Every structure is written in structure tokens, then in C-alpha cells.
Amino acid sequence: MSANNWFKRLSHPNLEPVSIEGVDQTLSIKYYVLFAQVSGEPAICLSETYLAESLGFLSKYTLELPIYLLDQESFDRLYNRYLEIRTDTELSRLGGTDDPMAEVAEEEEGFSLAEFLRNKADLLSSEESAPIIRFVNALFYQAIKKGASDIHIEPHEHKGEVRFRIDGALVRYVDLDLRIINLVVSRIKVISNLDIAEKRKTQDGRTQVNIARRTLDIRVSILPTYYGERVVMRILMESESIPHLQELGFDHELIGELAGLLEHSHGIVLVTGPTGSGKSTTLHSFLQQVASPQKNVITVEDPVEYKADNINQVQAKADVGLGFAAALRSILRQDPDVIMIGEIRDGETAAIAIQSALTGHLVFSTLHTNTATGAITRLVDMGVERFLVSSSLLGVLAQRLVRKLCDHCKIEDELAETYEEIYGFTRGTKIYKAVGCPACSHTGYKGRRAIGELFIPDDEMVTLFKETIEEHSIRDLAVRKGMRTLQSQLAKLVADGTTSMDEAIRIGIKG
Ligand SMILES: [Zn+2]
């Protein structure tokens, strides 16, 4: 006789969970031990599939309750009811006042998370999986409220995790049961028109969600990993949220110089920096600055990160023959005034970009170099003639985003002597370091600001290009003529307590 025959069997698809005093519900769910009213009395409900685990858990308790063995369907339904209730509890916790941001956001936006969750109009649909739908909506809502750019959902061996990318760094948001993670992933697939049944291939999709009277475009990427599917959702910014030139965080002098560059009717302006340094935000800010009903503005981007309705945006797709160079050739037949190229990655794109700048177009693009002056060398390395570079280039901006220390928790730090020398600090400079508190999600930093070095070639430099394109010769001359380097600005931010030495080192700028 097998152990299964010791228990009464029950088939009942509409059981309701009950809580039992002294039993940790989270733990009991983990071991698939569920409790429900059966014939008017609380009972233990188990599944044959997880019997060994469940009995192991039960052996720690002395519960005088009848035990039923449910058929798989009844068990799954009861289990889902538990998860729904758990999700609701999670949600009310998420919307609770332990979140220091909650009150501010409610005042500003005139509604609370709880109200939002009750408001059917904001829900995408109201099927029977409503709690998961609400949970996914709440994720988007929380991400927007916290200023996140991406939402990461990832399964691990025993649990799953949701993290937000805020100010460039990932911040843990909530841990979830793997079963909930799977439901959440399915929900995300549904709203982005992806294949729910396909769990072994990567999938890419897009969706729109309506949150707080705003329509957000979301780019979805799904990658199968060892423990399940990992989802990253990028929240695309709308044109209203593209910062104005003055709001990028550069100092006034630099903003003035940039505004001057953007008044040209033709020529090329380049922005350089590593991934995540804010290059596309800056380019879109440039575009908004020059866009007008009298101008045809066209971009080719990969990916499109901001959505603006006053410009024409083309998504580059190399796999269907629409790489940057091919897209650019098509764009030129569209009679553009201003062209933005997401990135110059190869000689062909570089050649067309420079050619366009020389034939009456204002061109903006990015290059993957560390310094402003390094862009010249890179273009020449890509095969562009020196004289074409010098006659088309209006300016190069090298930029970085620096995390600002949280004012609530930063504390004084000691300045190592070696840094005094490298960064040229005066002795006794007061500097600060990150600690972490609820106001900054325990990261020690809150918000970012941009720093930039702007290289504008003048006649003397154009003459120099004819002799050499060696970067440090160009750089020496530029610095001599007053170019403010990233290094010097970074040191200034450390010295005035805006950021920490650790952050300055992370950004990794050397002289
Ligand atoms: Zn803090």
C-alpha cells in the first residue's frame, strides 16, 4: 500500500484558502502545503506531486486537521488562489507608506497606488488573471515613479527578483516566488505580442501601457537562462521628457557653446563617451533645439530610445539590410535638413555622414571614443580624408554622467595623498563618500549630472591637422586654448561634495 492511500482524495476546483494560526503562510506555500475549508472545516490540502516535500514540512507541526490529497487541477487552482492573495498583499505593501517617495508622488499626481489599482480604466484588461495584470501595471507605475529606465525580471534557483535601473545602476526592487515570476513573464509576453509557449528562444517585442494618463512605449527583450526566462523592459522616453539643452546638467559656459554650434545650417557635431554616458539623450536634446516646422529632421537609430512626434525616426535593422549606412542613403533621398545618426560604427557610415555635412546638412552623431579630441583620430582611422574632417567638423562633445551623492546620508571622507596629487586638490579639501539611506534606495547616490569637454576646432587647429592627427598634439593645443577637460570638471565635483572619489574613479578618467 502506497502512502498516497493513507489520505482521503478530493476533487474540488473551488476551494478557498484559509489561514491557520501558527503556520507561516509563505513557508507553507513553498512546501506546497495549502489550507482550505472542506465541508465547513479547515483542512490540509496536498498534491501527490509534492507529497514528500509537503509531509517533511508538516512533520514540524502538530496540526489536528484532516488531510486531503487533491487532484492536480483542484490543487493548481487553490495554489493560484494563494498566489493571487500573496500578490495582493505584496501590492498593498508596495503601496504602503514605508516608501519615502510615495507621499510626494501621490500629491504630485493626485492619486494613490491603491486607487490606481482599483481604477479599472488604467488596467489593461480585466480577465481572471487580474492580480497579475495589476502587479505588472504596478511595476510600470513604480518604475516611472522612481525614474527607472529599465525593469529587469530574473529567475534564480529558488526565487525570482525584480530590479530597476535608476541613474544608471541596478537597484533591487522586490523578490518574488518563481511561480509568480512565470505568471508575470507570461503577462508581459501577452501585452507585447510574443509567443507564450516559446520558452527556449530569445524574443524581442514592444508594447504600450497607459499609466497615470501617460502612454509609455516599452521595449521588451526575453532571454532564456538556466533557471527560466529573463526579461528586460526598456521604458522609452516621450518627447515631453527629453531634457532641454539647459537641463542636461552641463555648466552654463558649455551650454552657451553648444547652443552656438547648433545655430549652424550645415556641418557635423559629434558626441562621444562610453555606453550609458547619456549620448542619445544629448542628441535628442540637440534635435529638439533645432526642430521646427520649417525643417525636415530625420534620424536613424538603433535602438530608438526616445519617441518624438516632431521628427522622423527610423529604426536601423541590420538583419533586413537596413544598417546605418543603407538607412542613411535612403534618408538623403528624403530631402532632410537635419540628420541624426545613432552611431558611426564603420567607414561607410562615416563617409556618408561627412559627405552629408559638406553638402548642406546639419548632422549629429556619436562615436565610441573616450575623449573629444580622440574623435578626429577615429574618423581618420575609419578612412575619412583629413581635409574632409577638418572642413566639416563643427565640434565634438565628450560626455559622462556622474552620480550625485545623496544629501541625506553622505558623510565626510578622507582624501588619500596620492589622489591629492593626481587630481590636483589643495591640501585639506573636504570630500564626501556614499553611505545609503531610504531616500536613495540605499545606494548612497541620488540623481546624476552631466559633465562634458567640448572641442571646437579653430583655424590654428585646422592648420595643425595638416601636419598631424596625433591625439595628444591636438589635445595639448585644445587645452592650451582653454578646453576644459573631463578630468578637471570631475575633480571640481569631488571637491565641492557633489560626488565621491569612488564615483570619480568608477568613471575612470585619467589625465
Ligand atoms: Zn541617502
Side-chain angles (χ1 to χ4, degrees), residues 415 420 424-429:
L415 181 61
E420 266 179 34
F425 290 121
T426 47
R427 189 158 288 266
T429 301

Side-chain angles (χ1 to χ4, degrees), residues 108-182:
E108 277 173 7
E109 291 157 34
F111 75 104
S112 70
L113 177 59
E115 200 181 310
F116 156 73
L117 291 171
R118 277 195 299 272
N119 180 5
K120 282 267 192 292
D122 258 5
L123 299 181
L124 294 159
S125 84
S126 50
E127 290 145 13
E128 52 182 48
S129 47
I132 288 300
I133 295 174
R134 280 151 63 184
F135 180 77
V136 171
N137 283 344
L139 270 187
F140 289 129
Y141 173 80
Q142 292 288 334
I144 300 305
K145 204 170 79 174
K146 290 177 185 290
S149 59
D150 303 78
I151 303 172
H152 290 228
I153 300 170
E154 47 199 357
H156 303 302
E157 188 177 359
H158 301 294
K159 62 172 178 68
E161 186 178 40
V162 177
R163 293 189 291 173
F164 291 157
R165 188 176 291 282
I166 301 168
D167 296 336
L170 283 171
V171 178
R172 210 183 126 263
Y173 176 58
V174 67
D175 281 347
L176 293 174
D177 188 289
L178 279 178
R179 286 234 186 167
I180 297 188
I181 288 277
N182 290 336

Side-chain angles (χ1 to χ4, degrees), residues 406 408-409 436-437 439-440 444:
C406 167
H408 291 94
C409 62
C437 73
C440 56

Side-chain angles (χ1 to χ4, degrees), residues 381-397:
D381 285 348
M382 282 178 168
V384 182
E385 296 282 353
R386 284 186 202 189
F387 74 97
L388 292 181
V389 175
S390 58
S391 45
S392 62
L393 190 67
L394 295 173
V396 188
L397 171 74

